[in-house]
Amino acid sequence: MSPALPSVAVVGGSLGGLTAALVLADLGCDVRVLERSGSALEGRGAGIVALDDTLRWVAERSDVDPETLCSTTSRVRFVDPGGATVHEREHHNRFSSWNTIYRAMLADFEARAPDRYGLGREVTAIAGDADGAVLTEASGATSRADLVVAADGIASPTRAALLPGVAPRYAGYVAWRGTVPESELPEPVFAELADAITYQVLPGSHVLVYPIPGPSGSVVRGERLTNFVWYRNVAAGPAFDDVMTGVDGQVRPVSLPPGAMRPEQVSAFRSDVRALLAPVIAEAVLAVAEPFVQAVHDIEVPRMAFGRVCLAGDAAFAVRPHAGAGTAKAAADGWELAAQLTAHPGDVDAALAAWERTQLAMGRALLARCREIGDSSQFTGTFTPGDPALSFGLRGPGR
Ligand SMILES: Cc1cc2nc3c(=O)[nH]c(=O)nc-3n(C[C@H](O)[C@H](O)[C@H](O)COP(=O)(O)OP(=O)(O)OC[C@H]3O[C@@H](n4cnc5c(N)ncnc54)[C@H](O)[C@@H]3O)c2cc1C
């Protein structure tokens, strides 16, 4: 390792943390990942839009062909409640699943840095000083690093400690989500959904359906999953608490995973599906065995670097999902950190200052765009089929 390069502890081993770990290890840094979860992370099978930034590691530095991790569609289609097409155009999208990308990136990290990805390593405190920080884990173990990348997610304990005044702001709606094997869909439904991202705009809402890789990663048509996301307004307070209360009676402010919804919630949801969604979308959604729900939040931080500790990915800015860019932004934070450490050899503080400037700007711009799209769908009724502003992208529509 070059003496000019910092040792790095990455807190959180999801897609944001893994990308940072990979690019910094590739730069020559001594990197270790501390992941709270005690067992290999499970993505619960839901889909993600695979933007170039999300797949950049795989495309540029891995032996894996990124196309093997993605399902593709060639059209965007909007249907009306009766199922008739109201807008359709050629537009290519790639989709993947959290699991599929995570598996590929973790294998690369373990090959490059054996035994440096630690599961069951919950960080409970980070004490920064001028040259680095001391991390304390739940086990009581302590260790030191020159640089700490906190990629500990939307509920980031690191953010809570560094910026106690910053809290997730509920956007006023939740996303109902789920997947079903394409092989379980009636043939006409499969045929209609297989090569498109299919939208339906409803009053104060929209739903979208697209194919993602199958449970074992297959992107062969017929072996994939069909993924749906339906954004629905739920007032904060008792209505929200009701939706987010699982079978165990606990209210979960961020998400209720598959299998955790109360049966009466699922049957009320299915009644709404039958009443409100276009037949082709309804058939796919009704075939989902375990729909689940995620609350939509905005998080915005005024700073991302605090001495030698920095916040990356959802720990810094968590954006509404409408640009399909959450994992892309998290990945971009890692790549830019490596770029700035390269641009400022031996000067971690200068690198972090430059990194913070660019990534704050990126986070703010993405947050604003996602808010605008979400509000246009849920609150102002200006979400228009075919509007190019709705295209996914980290740096702007389609970019
Ligand atoms: C299990 C899982 C499944 C997901 N599935 C999807 C999906 O299907 N579709 C989608 O669009 N997005 C999904 N996401 C979110 C998506 O991956 C994130 O938007 C994206 O990865 C960027 O987030 P991140 O890496 O910044 O944080 P996250 O992905 O939220 O990861 C944060 C990580 O930090 C760990 N952590 C938290 N606190 C501590 C601590 N104190 N010490 C150590 N580790 C800690 C968490 O266990 C977690 O692994 C998923 C995230 C997770 C964790």
Side-chain angles (χ1 to χ4, degrees), residues 128-129 162-163 301-311 352 356:
D129 55 43
L162 293 168
L163 294 168
V301 290
R303 295 171 59 192
M304 292 170 71
F306 307 79
R308 293 295 187 85
V309 180
C310 64
L311 297 173
L352 278 175
E356 182 183 53

Side-chain angles (χ1 to χ4, degrees), residues 14 111 176 192 207 269 293 318 350 371:
S14 176
W176 280 83
E192 213 174 316
V207 55
F269 170 72
V293 76
R371 249 186 207 148

